[in-house]
């Protein structure tokens, strides 16, 4: 099989769907999970793509993730919706939470969606893109509990919180145009990218990790072999500050929990998300925002190329470039990750030959 297999996106979706269905998911859930994970790979974020499936299936088998669960409205205050994910698949819970928030923002002008207790909701840009496709501005703060901490506070030598992502999406300025989607972990890199580097036998960039004694290291194994090290926050005290805000908005105010002793007793990836969804047609810039956004982006992108740079992009562009390339060339999946996916299938009764055939790897 070599170091990497390359799988056509539709075939990869089919393989993931089969495994989810065998895990007990209904067709809709299996399709949402497969579409979400494969879109993450297509977008270049292998850390949040199909490589997550083995963890999901293990959580299903161990009953830490509930299949066929819908989001529950725990409180409805007009422009504020309190939602409970009931530890369902984040790909379903996130989708339904955004549907409810978008509908309410259309009526009320804005909606705060306070979502607690979802299983892993994957790439947060997915939710920003869903809001942007509906013409909404959105911002999302996420915390991660149910697993030991991964990221060290600025000035600290061990991990005290997780990779707490932040996302903000601005809708396209014209029909058929593209949104701006800033979607990032507040750690220097996402934990999934440390896993991908380890599976590929690669080192991470200098200044990304510290070992268990707080010393700098480039070896991704430090995050997996005890005593474990920590990832650093991006942008020193600034990224650390944003991580704290995400932890508190998502963990404390949604009715979820923040990271502290015992938060990880569940031993499964739990996300809480605080989203603000706004209808731009209700804002003072209703008539002018499209012109202003487009003019600003054009102005910024007209900056001359810096030496050794490929030029100026706006957030969301790198993902779209990846999508164009991988839709055409297929999705590379490293052999370790593919082996884990095949084993996940076997754990719910899908034979290796079946998974390989679904993926077109025969
Ligand atoms: P990243 O560093 O690859 O990219 C972050 C952002 O920067 C993206 O919006 C991208 O469009 C933009 N960008 C990248 N290169 C650019 C350039 N040259 N010019 C302009 N903009 C550019 O992302 P990351 O921090 O590694 O996060 C990866 C993914 O992990 C995200 O989708 C995030 O939501 C997800 N994540 C999820 C969880 C969870 O618990 N569910 C936790 C952490 C991270």
């Amino acid at each position: 099989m070599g170091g990497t297999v390359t799988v056509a996106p539709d075939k990869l979706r089919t393989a993931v769907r089969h495994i989810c269905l065998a895990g007990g998911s209904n067709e809709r859930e299996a399709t949402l999970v497969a579409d979400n994970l494969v879109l993450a790979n297509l977008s270049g974020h292998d850390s949040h793509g199909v490589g997550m499936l083995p963890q999901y299936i293990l959580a299903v088998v161990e009953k830490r993730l509930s299949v066929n669960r819908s989001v529950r409205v725990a409180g409805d205050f007009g422009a504020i919706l309190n939602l409970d994910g009931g530890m369902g698949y984040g790909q379903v819970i996130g989708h339904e939470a955004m549907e409810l928030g978008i509908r309410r923002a259309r009526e009320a002008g804005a909606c705060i969606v306070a979502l607690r207790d979802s299983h892993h909701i994957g790439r947060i840009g997915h939710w920003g893109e869903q809001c942007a496709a509906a013409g909404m501005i959105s911002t999302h703060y996420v915390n991660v509990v149910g697993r030991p901490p991964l990221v060290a506070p600025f000035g600290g030598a061990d991990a005290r919180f997780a990779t707490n992502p932040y996302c903000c999406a601005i809708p396209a300025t014209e029909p058929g145009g593209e949104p701006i989607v800033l979607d990032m972990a507040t750690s220097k890199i996402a934990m999934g990218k440390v896993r991908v580097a380890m599976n590929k036998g690669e080192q991470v960039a200098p200044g990304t990790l510290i070992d268990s004694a707080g010393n700098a290291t480039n070896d991704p194994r430090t995050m997996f072999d005890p005593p474990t090290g920590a990832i650093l926050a991006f942008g020193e005290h600034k990224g650390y500050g944003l991580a704290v805000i995400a932890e508190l908005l998502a963990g404390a105010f949604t009715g979820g929990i923040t990271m502290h002793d015992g938060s990880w007793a569940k031993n499964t990836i739990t996300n809480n998300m605080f989203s603000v969804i706004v209808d731009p047609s209700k804002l003072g810039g209703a008539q002018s925002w499209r012109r202003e956004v487009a003019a600003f982006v054009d102005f910024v992108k007209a900056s001359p190329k810096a030496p050794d740079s490929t030029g100026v992009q706006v957030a969301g562009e790198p993902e779209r470039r990846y999508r164009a390339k991988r839709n055409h060339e297929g999705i590379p999946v490293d052999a370790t990750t593919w082996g884990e996916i095949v084993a996940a299938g076997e754990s719910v009764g899908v034979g290796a030959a079946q998974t390989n055939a679904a993926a077109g790897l025969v």
Side-chain angles (χ1 to χ4, degrees):
M1 213 179 245
T4 304
V5 294
T6 301
V7 190
D10 57 330
K11 296 221 175 335
L12 193 52
R13 273 186 217 104
T14 305
V16 171
R17 263 191 43 249
H18 282 172
I19 295 172
C20 288
L21 288 169
S25 293
N26 58 32
E27 275 287 352
R28 172 177 173 266
E29 179 162 283
T31 301
L32 282 171
V33 174
D35 288 354
N36 178 294
L37 294 180
V38 172
L39 186 59
N41 288 105
L42 280 171
S43 308
H45 293 292
D46 295 334
S47 55
H48 287 71
V50 297
M52 293 304 295
L53 186 65
Q55 294 186 54
Y56 293 0
I57 293 298
L58 182 63
V60 167
V61 169
E62 295 182 350
K63 304 208 181 317
R64 293 180 275 112
L65 162 52
S66 301
V67 295
N68 304 323
R69 181 66 62 112
S70 273
V71 80
R72 183 176 70 81
V73 179
D76 184 342
F77 299 95
I80 297 181
L81 287 175
N82 293 315
L83 304 179
D84 184 343
M87 290 309 287
Y89 262 111
Q91 286 67 21
V92 174
I93 300 299
H95 179 79
E96 293 178 349
M98 293 304 100
E99 276 186 334
L100 290 171
I102 290 165
R103 198 176 310 146
R104 188 55 59 85
R106 275 212 183 98
E107 295 159 10
C111 182
I112 291 172
V113 177
L115 171 65
R116 65 173 184 249
D117 286 342
S118 174
H119 194 263
H120 189 240
I121 53 178
R123 211 185 123 245
I124 310 309
H126 199 98
W127 315 122
E129 285 164 4
Q130 186 179 343
C131 294
M136 300 288 160
I137 304 164
S138 66
T139 180
H140 311 262
Y141 301 83
V142 177
N143 85 328
V144 196
V145 284
R147 280 282 179 87
L150 300 168
V151 181
F154 183 67
D158 70 0
R160 295 286 154 158
F161 47 87
T163 53
N164 294 359
Y166 167 80
C167 172
C168 182
I170 306 289
T173 54
E174 56 190 13
E178 301 290 359
I180 296 172
V181 184
L182 176 63
D183 168 32
M184 60 188 202
T186 49
S187 51
K188 274 234 164 114
I189 58 173
M191 181 59 184
K193 289 187 177 164
V194 184
R195 171 176 48 81
V196 169
M198 187 182 72
N199 284 352
K200 288 183 177 171
E202 292 172 356
Q203 299 278 290
V204 301
T208 301
L209 300 175
I210 52 175
D211 64 19
S212 59
N215 298 310
T217 177
N218 303 335
D219 184 355
R221 295 201 157 276
T222 193
M223 296 305 296
F224 297 90
D225 298 341
T228 49
I231 313 177
L232 297 173
F234 84 90
E236 301 175 329
H237 55 288
K238 302 179 189 183
Y240 158 57
L242 185 57
V244 169
I245 296 298
E247 182 76 27
L248 300 181
L249 290 179
F253 291 101
T254 61
I257 53 169
T258 59
M259 188 71 88
H260 45 74
D261 284 341
S263 290
W264 51 92
K266 266 187 192 170
N267 189 29
T268 201
I269 316 171
T270 307
N271 278 143
N272 303 298
M273 177 160 71
F274 184 94
S275 303
V276 181
I277 304 173
V278 181
D279 181 350
S281 73
K282 305 286 193 329
L283 293 172
Q287 304 305 323
S288 56
W289 71 269
R290 291 183 180 80
R291 186 185 67 230
E292 290 303 319
V293 169
F296 176 71
V297 169
D298 286 350
F299 181 64
V300 166
K301 293 192 70 173
S303 177
K305 262 187 205 174
D308 302 325
S309 146
T310 52
V312 176
Q313 301 181 67
V314 289
E317 270 190 82
E319 285 74 14
R320 286 196 288 279
R321 288 185 182 192
Y322 260 109
R323 284 177 199 178
K325 182 174 158 60
R326 289 186 165 184
N327 264 317
H328 181 63
E329 294 175 2
I331 295 172
V333 183
D334 69 83
T336 306
T337 300
W338 187 251
E340 290 170 0
I341 292 169
V342 168
E346 287 175 320
S347 75
V348 286
V350 184
Q354 242 177 308
T355 299
N356 283 321
L361 301 173
V362 279

